[in-house]
Amino acid sequence: MNNILKNIFKLKKEKSSEQFEPGVTMVQTTPLSEDQLKAVSFANVALRPPQFLIGCGQSVGLQRDHNEDTIFSMSSILADGRNDVPFGLCVVADGMGGHLNGEIASAVAARTVARILINKIYTHLLENNPDPMEESLQETIEHAVNEVQKNVVRYAPGGGTTLTIALILGEQVTIAHVGDSRAYFIYPDGRIQRLTKDHSLVQRMIDLEEITEAEAKNHPHRNVLLKAIGQAEPVYPDVQTHQIPKSGHLMLCSDGLWGVVAEADLYRSISSQSDPALACKEMINLANKNGGPDNISVILVKFQG
Amino acid sequence: MELPQDQPGTRKITETLDNDTGTFLQLHSGVVLAERYQIQDVIGVGGMGSVYRARDLHFPNVIKLVAVKEMINQAPDPVVRKTIVKNFEREANILVTLNHPSIPKIYDFFSHENRSYLVLEYINGKDLEAILKSSLEPINEDQVIIWSIQICDVLEYLHTHKPEPIIFRDVKPSNIMINQSNHVVLVDFGIAKMFKTGQKGTMIGTEGYSPPEQYRGDATLQTDIYALGATMHHLLTHRDPRLETPFSFGERQIRQINPLVSKELETIINTALEYNPADRFANASEMKAALVALARRTGALPRSGSNNLSLSEQDVKPLWWFECEDEIRGTPTVDNGLLYVGSYDNNLYALDATKGQFLWKFATKGGIVAKPLVAENSVFFGSADNKLYVVQARTGKFLWEFLTNGAIHCSPKIAEGHIFIGSDDGNLYAVNISTFQKSWEIHTGGPVRSSPFLTKDMIYFGCEANEFICSDYRGSIKWRYLTKRPVTSSPIVADGIVYFASQDANFYALDAKSGWVIWRFRMAKGSVSSPALGENSLIFGSADNFLYCVDKSSSREQWRYKCDHQVSGSPFIYKDAIYCGTASGSFYSIDYASGRLRWKFISGGAITGSATAFNDVIYVGSTDHKVYAFMA
Ligand SMILES: Nc1ncnc2c1ncn2[C@@H]1O[C@H](COP(=O)(O)OP(=O)(O)O)[C@@H](O)[C@H]1O
Ligand SMILES: [Mg+2]
């Protein structure tokens, strides 16, 4: 149903970037008494401030002679007792094999997007008296992806890359992607929720029920992307925001991992290691054990519940 | 549905379905498809598979029936198979765009192995073929005229479809269903026919009802008109055209077989059945006009009044209504079998929610707009006389009051022993319900009409001074967000995001913790409508007349429905439908999944509040002074 709707409502929502006039408002409050407060506040046993660990891993694989993937990750906590604002940024870019300038494209993409989002959002967080952001988070990310597009065309002409971004801010994670590098939530109970839908020919064929997921795995055209950075302009990433699971993981990876290692095995690696970096190492080993046909990139974010 | 053409028919595909190999067995009752649709019964057998009645298990507390139409893809050639699935999707896409009371809604489609399924609105009724079979008598003229007018209506809708007209191409008794309200519903939207194109040597359409040009591969609007004529001929004569020589209606004049039919109707049908398409009615509305004129003369239709209302509009009648002495601008509340509603006549009314009988009223000194809150055996509500009143829920007996310095347009909320309510004096008050005293207030620069949303540890509300505020339970502001225009809409918080509309024409999703804007959705005009939260989407109205449904994580629009005037109340979700009213007095019931009209009722005044529900009954107030009750 959603697919049908999507096909019909291709309408892209209008975007706006308005300036907000600062307003002056009086605040007068009488605090509740301690007793009243006790009545309205709840015991909070969660870890304060909420935080997460990031691990990552990369391997050229066993059948390629050089690496064309780029990954980026950062994490930061700012907790002043009033507001706890965890910030995290993860990027996976899979430069397109066979493409001229593939590895340059992925590096340009990851650098550009990290630079823009850190400048616009992270710096803003550290501002003493920040003006309200002019754009929504999703708009900022969308604009960043379009900047990336221009940069790739300029610095890596002919090159192409996927781009999957996860921006963690407070209790929400906003994910944008172009191409087939994926984002997953992995829950402690073993559920694996894929958040991104590949912009690939085989995904489209699966949607049309022309092939099954299983057939897609060995399909001769499984590498054909319908959308990528560095191709036709402009590019519209899929952007979505989700509440971060209280405990569990967020994983970003290139097809060198998800296309080679079964989900159940990924889950086993992740749940058996308390250190996300070691889990990444284990997943990369699995991919190489399975032949390592492609470059492998993975970023694993572990949320402390 | 424009289809590539085949040659006139030889063998019907139906035959291959009846083989005994077991390959195309019908599903047994109890089987669950897509982990959701539980098959109950076979209700029809079509060209490419069966049609089942099934229960939608996503609604565990109510029995929601759907029709599941099965298509078995038998093509051995992979290329053909692929085309078949593609056509299937394309056709489903078309069906989704259709919005007409005489067309079943499509809810879902999916494939499993070589079978594809369409999940459709279940039509509780019989098709005309079954009706014909159940009696030896022809159907009476008045009835045929009324059904035919309805068929003309839906054909006209299809034929004027943009960007491309849709030609139904298979008008015949088995594709016309009559529902419980004696209204026509066209089933079989050419999807099966798309499948038939994959089979060599079959024709599209059905011998007997199809006009000559269709056998040559031409289909125009007149194709459907001819088939409607053939269907009417069959109904009035009880002679099955499939058993007769093709195009021989001229030799079987209706009145020779059934002398009770009027000369006029026979003439209309003969015109529809002209051999040469150019000699038939130019379009469905021309044929409808001829039928309507005849019906008015014979009395099949009332002589005055118009037939232009859609079926759904005539369809719904309130179960009851109750009239106050002045406008109702707010939202009623139902609790424990009682309906509470405030009116501009200064009274709060309590009615019996089932029968609409008056129980008691409580007089204040100002109009009452906001939705009353029922809690702890009391009703809490504000009035334009500046007071928050608390009265006994059963009897309306006065308990206590709290005075503010401005009119109250805000609906109270309760949490942790406090009532939270905004006033036009610019404050949001926290009033202790055991001491009747305020614990604190938050002063904003303008009236607070947006009802606060209370979470475990935060309070969220908008104000007329162009800002949105998040405070904790101490009354200290955690963050504020400036909009360009007032925020009258009441927020909703889900999964750490707060959602609200502003009169600045944006719909906002802000991080509930920090006030960061996660996304913004632009409307053409401002909105005071509070959002309703569905499974993964938000529904809200706007002064631009649209009712929007957007995905809550991406703000992607799922659908929008154009109402006849601005939508200021909050849409109300009940079961699989959305209810909302407009400033012109229309009250809509919209299908939640598809955004299509279920029915519409026109009240005598603007509807500015929201609906509420209890026991499958929907309640809404109107500025025509009435509160209405409808079947959901
Ligand atoms: N939505 C529905 N609700 C109830 N019955 C239906 C519905 N759709 C079809 N039917 C029944 O199933 C029969 C066959 O369905 P139809 O759509 O005409 O299939 P086909 O195109 O294969 O002939 C119809 O004649 C009707 O009796
Ligand atoms: Mg049929």
Side-chain angles (χ1 to χ4, degrees):
Chain A
M1 190 69 203
N2 260 328
N3 276 327
I4 313 179
L5 292 174
K6 238 178 272 163
N7 288 343
I8 291 157
F9 298 111
K10 278 249 172 64
L11 299 164
K12 192 73 190 147
K13 64 182 188 284
E14 283 177 48
K15 297 289 177 182
S16 70
S17 47
E18 292 152 345
Q19 201 78 41
F20 293 95
E21 312 110 32
V24 188
T25 313
M26 285 278 298
V27 186
Q28 279 177 350
T29 61
T30 318
L32 298 183
S33 74
E34 277 315 309
D35 270 295
Q36 287 168 327
L37 254 184
K38 224 173 265 161
V40 296
S41 50
F42 287 69
N44 207 334
V45 291
L47 178 61
R48 286 279 133 200
Q51 49 202 269
F52 47 87
L53 286 176
I54 302 185
C56 53
Q58 198 169 47
S59 160
V60 68
L62 301 180
Q63 295 174 31
R64 301 279 168 99
D65 53 11
H66 68 295
N67 175 57
E68 298 189 333
D69 288 2
T70 304
I71 54 180
F72 171 88
S73 90
M74 82 176 275
S75 92
S76 120
I77 301 281
L78 179 73
D80 61 3
R82 257 182 69 82
N83 287 309
D84 303 331
V85 189
F87 175 91
L89 180 61
C90 306
V91 181
V92 170
D94 175 355
M96 297 215 285
H99 262 275
L100 209 61
N101 284 338
E103 73 266 45
I104 305 177
S106 72
V108 166
R111 283 203 178 95
T112 310
V113 78
R115 190 173 62 244
I116 294 175
L117 295 180
I118 289 170
N119 277 341
K120 279 203 182 165
I121 298 171
Y122 188 59
T123 313
H124 185 92
L125 269 180
L126 303 179
E127 223 67 81
N128 285 325
N129 260 321
D131 290 335
M133 291 279 288
E134 292 166 25
E135 325 173 291
S136 74
L137 268 188
Q138 294 198 355
E139 285 164 342
T140 305
I141 293 178
E142 232 169 273
H143 293 162
V145 171
N146 275 296
E147 244 355 88
V148 169
Q149 170 83 343
K150 283 187 210 143
N151 273 275
V152 168
V153 171
R154 190 147 137 227
Y155 297 112
T161 181
T162 72
L163 182 63
T164 298
I165 307 161
L167 181 107
I168 298 167
L169 192 60
E171 294 177 1
Q172 307 285 334
V173 56
T174 299
I175 290 161
H177 84 286
V178 176
D180 71 347
S181 297
R182 293 181 177 178
Y184 297 87
F185 276 151
I186 296 121
Y187 298 93
D189 60 4
R191 267 179 307 136
I192 299 189
Q193 179 190 1
R194 201 218 295 183
L195 300 167
T196 52
K197 187 169 216 172
D198 301 341
H199 298 129
S200 66
L201 182 65
V202 286
Q203 180 63 52
R204 183 79 193 121
M205 290 168 83
I206 292 169
D207 291 346
L208 295 175
E209 313 258 352
E210 288 177 12
I211 59 171
T212 62
E213 294 269 359
E215 285 165 345
K217 285 212 157 51
N218 304 310
H219 199 277
H221 297 316
R222 66 183 176 281
N223 291 326
V224 178
L225 293 188
L226 299 181
K227 227 194 244 186
I229 302 281
Q231 309 246 289
E233 267 187 292
V235 52
Y236 294 103
D238 289 354
V239 189
Q240 45 183 324
T241 302
H242 297 278
Q243 190 165 40
I244 291 168
K246 290 266 174 298
S247 65
H249 293 80
L250 168 72
M251 180 172 80
L252 266 53
C253 63
S254 63
D255 62 343
L257 182 64
W258 65 254
V260 182
V261 184
E263 281 191 0
D265 295 330
L266 293 175
Y267 175 72
R268 219 165 297 131
S269 305
I270 292 167
S271 58
S272 65
Q273 296 287 354
S274 62
D275 180 342
L278 294 180
C280 288
K281 186 174 156 202
E282 198 170 309
M283 290 190 282
I284 284 179
N285 286 342
L286 283 178
N288 280 329
K289 232 178 254 161
N290 291 350
D294 203 347
N295 300 155
I296 310 153
S297 289
V298 57
I299 302 180
L300 187 65
V301 184
K302 181 181 180 192
F303 301 107
Q304 310 285 29
Chain B
M1 324 249 135
E2 269 311 319
L3 303 165
Q5 289 305 305
D6 296 333
Q7 289 78 41
T10 50
R11 197 167 68 95
K12 299 288 278 185
I13 305 169
T14 332
E15 291 162 20
T16 60
L17 270 177
D18 298 330
N19 66 16
D20 288 322
T21 63
T23 334
F24 305 120
L25 275 184
Q26 279 176 342
L27 300 174
H28 294 294
S29 72
V31 168
V32 179
L33 290 173
E35 294 177 351
R36 175 161 186 183
Y37 306 105
Q38 185 176 45
I39 301 297
Q40 294 189 331
D41 217 346
V42 177
I43 50 176
V45 178
M48 296 293 287
S50 307
V51 181
Y52 304 92
R53 185 183 63 236
R55 179 175 169 187
D56 185 347
L57 299 177
H58 274 201
F59 296 85
N61 302 323
V62 283
I63 299 197
K64 183 184 164 180
L65 296 178
V66 294
V68 175
K69 183 168 175 174
E70 181 185 52
M71 264 140 289
I72 304 177
N73 192 342
Q74 305 164 69
D77 178 348
V79 177
V80 175
R81 288 176 64 86
K82 215 161 125 176
T83 324
I84 286 174
V85 179
K86 273 214 188 99
N87 288 343
F88 178 43
E89 198 193 34
R90 197 182 77 197
E91 294 296 334
N93 282 346
I94 292 172
L95 204 45
V96 164
T97 66
L98 300 181
N99 180 6
H100 193 277
S102 291
I103 299 172
K105 283 169 255 177
I106 176 170
Y107 296 133
D108 203 351
F109 82 87
F110 53 91
S111 297
H112 177 70
E113 288 167 11
N114 65 339
R115 298 181 187 220
S116 297
Y117 296 92
L118 272 183
V119 181
L120 301 163
E121 180 186 356
Y122 171 68
I123 310 300
N124 185 7
K126 273 183 163 185
D127 64 66
L128 284 179
E129 174 123 338
I131 290 174
L132 274 168
K133 274 206 187 106
S134 66
S135 135
L136 293 171
E137 295 300 313
I139 316 261
N140 87 57
E141 170 168 358
D142 284 359
Q143 183 60 79
V144 172
I145 292 176
I146 286 168
W147 287 339
S148 305
I149 290 170
Q150 294 171 7
I151 298 168
C152 285
D153 260 330
V154 57
L155 288 179
E156 190 188 347
Y157 172 81
L158 293 170
H159 292 170
T160 54
H161 183 265
K162 296 279 162 355
E164 244 123 43
I166 294 171
I167 298 166
F168 184 75
R169 294 219 221 203
D170 206 2
V171 177
K172 62 175 175 179
S174 70
N175 287 340
I176 300 164
M177 292 198 62
I178 307 298
N179 71 15
Q180 295 299 304
S181 333
N182 197 30
H183 286 304
V184 156
V185 181
L186 275 190
V187 294
D188 198 356
F189 261 72
I191 290 150
K193 287 173 293 195
M194 297 308 291
F195 278 79
K196 286 172 192 163
T197 61
Q199 293 275 321
K200 283 234 153 55
T202 47
M203 68 161 283
I204 300 158
T206 306
E207 293 104 316
Y209 301 99
S210 302
E213 73 271 19
Q214 201 165 350
Y215 289 78
R216 291 192 300 267
D218 296 331
T220 62
L221 313 186
Q222 280 72 35
T223 306
D224 286 343
I225 290 182
Y226 182 98
L228 172 56
T231 300
M232 293 170 77
H233 190 285
H234 188 175
L235 295 174
L236 292 165
T237 61
H238 214 285
R239 288 269 192 100
D240 190 336
R242 288 166 295 189
L243 306 175
E244 310 284 347
T245 323
F247 328 125
S248 59
F249 294 105
E251 298 147 34
R252 282 173 285 128
Q253 286 296 318
I254 296 170
R255 278 152 52 83
Q256 283 168 17
I257 303 165
N258 180 357
L260 296 176
V261 175
S262 68
K263 178 86 197 109
E264 290 92 322
L265 185 57
E266 188 185 60
T267 310
I268 291 173
I269 295 173
N270 284 344
T271 309
L273 286 172
E274 283 287 349
Y275 190 92
N276 183 353
D279 296 332
R280 299 177 206 148
F281 293 102
N283 51 48
S285 60
E286 202 178 301
M287 178 159 175
K288 175 182 156 183
L291 288 165
V292 168
L294 170 61
R296 294 228 194 286
R297 247 176 290 134
T298 63
L301 280 178
R303 260 156 246 272
S304 62
S306 102
N307 193 49
N308 288 331
L309 281 180
S310 90
L311 300 175
S312 313
E313 284 172 39
Q314 310 170 345
D315 224 16
V316 345
K317 288 205 179 61
L319 296 168
W320 53 258
W321 47 262
F322 174 86
E323 187 158 7
C324 304
E325 279 152 41
D326 206 333
E327 297 178 351
I328 298 177
R329 290 192 164 263
T331 304
T333 297
V334 187
D335 183 85
N336 213 355
L338 266 64
L339 179 122
Y340 304 92
V341 65
S343 161
Y344 263 37
D345 67 14
N346 300 359
N347 288 299
L348 178 85
Y349 290 83
L351 311 176
D352 176 320
T354 324
K355 300 182 219 108
Q357 271 158 0
F358 171 80
L359 297 175
W360 53 258
K361 65 181 175 184
F362 180 89
T364 71
K365 297 193 180 60
I368 302 172
V369 222
K371 178 179 166 74
L373 168 78
V374 186
E376 322 217 324
N377 303 318
S378 313
V379 190
F380 301 80
F381 60 97
S383 159
D385 67 9
N386 301 4
K387 286 178 183 164
L388 161 73
Y389 288 91
V390 184
V391 303
Q392 222 165 53
R394 277 281 136 196
T395 59
K397 186 171 151 264
F398 173 81
L399 294 173
W400 56 275
E401 62 186 30
F402 174 81
L403 181 66
T404 74
N405 297 313
I408 297 183
H409 291 102
C410 167
S411 308
K413 292 290 177 67
I414 187 168
E416 309 301 339
H418 282 77
I419 288 291
F420 298 87
I421 191 164
S423 162
D424 279 10
D425 65 12
N427 291 323
L428 178 86
Y429 292 92
V431 184
N432 187 312
I433 57 176
S434 36
T435 63
F436 319 147
Q437 302 294 316
K438 84 172 177 217
S439 288
W440 48 255
E441 78 259 296
I442 294 173
H443 189 69
T444 75
V448 178
R449 295 176 173 173
S450 151
S451 263
F453 189 94
L454 312 177
T455 66
K456 176 161 88 49
D457 40 27
M458 296 292 160
I459 301 166
Y460 299 88
F461 63 99
C463 80
E464 303 298 303
N466 307 354
E467 65 175 345
F468 188 84
I469 294 169
C470 165
S471 95
D472 63 12
Y473 279 95
R474 297 168 195 257
S476 75
I477 291 183
K478 297 304 272 185
W479 54 261
R480 54 205 332 150
Y481 179 80
L482 302 181
T483 55
K484 302 199 96 177
R485 289 277 163 77
V487 181
T488 314
S489 152
S490 305
I492 200 163
V493 179
D495 295 334
I497 301 183
V498 54
Y499 302 97
F500 61 90
S502 163
Q503 294 183 42
D504 69 11
N506 284 302
F507 186 90
Y508 292 92
L510 308 189
D511 181 48
K513 264 264 140 79
S514 62
W516 282 72
V517 189
I518 289 172
W519 55 255
R520 246 185 313 210
F521 179 88
R522 293 271 317 161
M523 302 168 283
K525 287 188 181 162
S527 167
V528 296
S529 165
S530 307
L533 182 69
E535 213 177 320
N536 290 311
S537 41
L538 293 155
I539 294 115
F540 47 91
S542 165
D544 66 13
N545 298 5
F546 281 107
L547 186 69
Y548 294 93
C549 177
V550 303
D551 181 279
K552 79 185 195 346
S553 61
S554 67
S555 85
R556 207 173 293 134
E557 185 174 308
Q558 309 288 306
W559 50 258
R560 58 167 80 188
Y561 182 84
K562 186 155 177 79
C563 300
D564 58 7
H565 210 293
Q566 66 188 59
V567 183
S568 48
S570 169
F572 178 73
I573 305 182
Y574 188 71
K575 297 194 172 158
D576 51 352
I578 293 161
Y579 299 86
C580 78
T582 67
S584 68
S586 301
F587 184 59
Y588 292 89
S589 170
I590 310 279
D591 181 63
Y592 172 66
S594 64
R596 291 162 53 179
L597 181 69
R598 293 174 76 229
W599 52 258
K600 176 174 163 185
F601 172 81
I602 298 172
S603 79
I607 296 181
T608 55
S610 310
T612 192
F614 169 71
N615 264 352
D616 282 339
V617 178
I618 304 289
Y619 304 91
V620 71
S622 163
T623 58
D624 67 6
H625 307 187
K626 293 177 186 149
V627 54
Y628 293 91
F630 298 95
M631 270 320 283

